[in-house]
Amino acid sequence: MQPALIVVTGASTGMGAAAARELARQGFHVLAGVRRDRDADAIRSDGVEPVILDITRSEQVEALAARVAGDPRPLHALVNNAGIQVNGPVEALPMAQWRWVFEVNLFGHIAVTQALLPALLRSQGRVVNISSVGGRVALPTYGAYAGAKFALEAVSDSLRREIAPLGVQVVVVEPGGVRTEMATRGIATANQLAAQMTPAQEERYSGLVQAINTLMASGTASGLTADAAARVIAKAVTTRRPRTRYTIGRDAAWITRLARMLPDRTLDRVIAANLGG
């Protein structure tokens, strides 16, 4: 019997690449979305077929849907993993950056999901949305990133309730600190954006930006490996009766638990203390 298909977006590096390899190891044929030819060459292996996919480009999303529709194998799962991290104070982050974060971290996932839902409905497969602990707790300077992740969580809940009666499951995965390049890129972007702040904004927020960068670097360094995170994603993909949400890492489990238990003002004080405030 031929292996079922799985689509993993954002598979060039990090958790996406690791998840693609892990799912191929478990016997699936993985269509791994990458944006560049050199990334395709790096990920290509037994069971992993790279496809050029920028989830913000409609023609590439349509080409992916045509590739899946033309394959006789069922589509077992879509793993919406692509994403970017852009941090900045709400006052200082340019509107173009807000729109781009939502375009990649929310609207692109919706576009791919819409395009592949006919195949998932036929196979009674599942959608696995890679959110973040930032989809449950919004740290300072995380307004755009957390806003898109909060929205992805809401869309996931709505979608789950829409298509569960049709046999398609929706699962959310919420990583905490994971040792990937995303945090490094996020810190570099935060510093570039901070350099564009007005003098008054710099006076208000420069210390906060640096404290967040330090916290992000520390959390990443002490986080799980991408391979360990990939095993959680694979569990969300393959478990016969999955939970609606999985966390990745002790920090994610701890933070989401605190968010459920503590009043907002108390949680504010906990976050401020961790930032040295």
Side-chain angles (χ1 to χ4, degrees):
M1 189 168 98
Q2 288 186 310
L5 297 176
I6 291 179
V7 170
V8 179
T9 69
S12 298
T13 60
M15 288 191 301
R21 290 190 293 265
E22 175 63 21
L23 290 163
R25 188 188 67 78
Q26 294 191 23
F28 294 97
H29 184 84
V30 180
L31 301 178
V34 299
R35 291 191 302 142
R36 295 165 296 205
D37 288 336
R38 66 174 181 269
D39 297 327
D41 293 337
I43 195 69
R44 185 180 287 108
S45 60
D46 289 343
V48 179
E49 175 188 337
V51 294
I52 298 299
L53 178 65
D54 179 335
I55 64 173
T56 68
R57 296 182 59 177
S58 59
E59 72 278 11
Q60 293 185 5
V61 174
E62 290 166 6
L64 171 66
R67 166 69 183 82
V68 170
D71 197 300
R73 294 169 288 193
L75 179 61
H76 176 73
L78 162 63
V79 180
N80 282 312
N81 171 74
I84 57 172
Q85 184 155 358
V86 177
N87 288 10
V90 171
E91 178 190 357
L93 190 65
M95 285 307 302
Q97 292 291 334
W98 281 89
R99 293 188 175 97
W100 183 237
V101 170
F102 273 75
E103 192 65 39
V104 176
N105 289 358
L106 179 65
F107 301 135
H109 297 320
I110 295 171
V112 176
T113 301
Q114 288 181 337
L116 295 185
L117 260 177
L120 290 167
L121 289 164
R122 286 194 298 272
S123 65
Q124 295 196 324
R126 71 185 60 175
V127 178
V128 177
N129 286 330
I130 309 302
S131 177
S132 167
V133 67
R136 304 293 289 277
V137 177
L139 294 177
T141 79
Y142 274 69
Y145 179 81
K149 293 297 188 181
F150 267 69
L152 181 62
E153 299 253 354
V155 170
S156 298
D157 286 342
S158 184
L159 180 65
R160 185 182 69 251
R161 291 160 184 156
E162 291 167 1
I163 61 179
L166 305 175
V168 179
Q169 301 182 78
V170 178
V171 183
V172 173
V173 177
E174 298 164 338
V178 178
R179 298 201 296 270
T180 69
E181 298 173 10
M182 187 174 184
T184 302
R185 291 194 296 263
I187 290 170
T189 301
N191 286 331
Q192 290 167 8
L193 292 168
Q196 299 170 24
M197 291 192 295
T198 66
Q201 290 170 347
E202 185 175 0
E203 183 177 353
R204 285 192 283 273
Y205 302 120
S206 61
L208 176 62
V209 169
Q210 292 310 310
I212 286 288
N213 285 348
T214 299
L215 185 67
M216 192 188 314
S218 173
T220 300
S222 62
L224 295 179
T225 65
D227 288 340
R231 289 191 287 272
V232 179
I233 295 171
K235 182 178 181 180
V237 168
T238 59
T239 299
R240 191 173 67 85
R241 298 185 64 181
R243 303 200 303 262
T244 58
R245 281 173 170 80
Y246 291 86
T247 55
I248 294 180
R250 291 181 181 175
D251 58 335
W254 178 72
I255 291 169
T256 55
R257 192 174 300 117
L258 281 182
R260 289 194 300 269
M261 295 169 52
L262 297 181
D264 287 347
R265 298 295 187 192
T266 305
L267 186 58
D268 290 350
R269 290 193 290 272
V270 170
I271 291 171
N274 276 274
L275 293 172

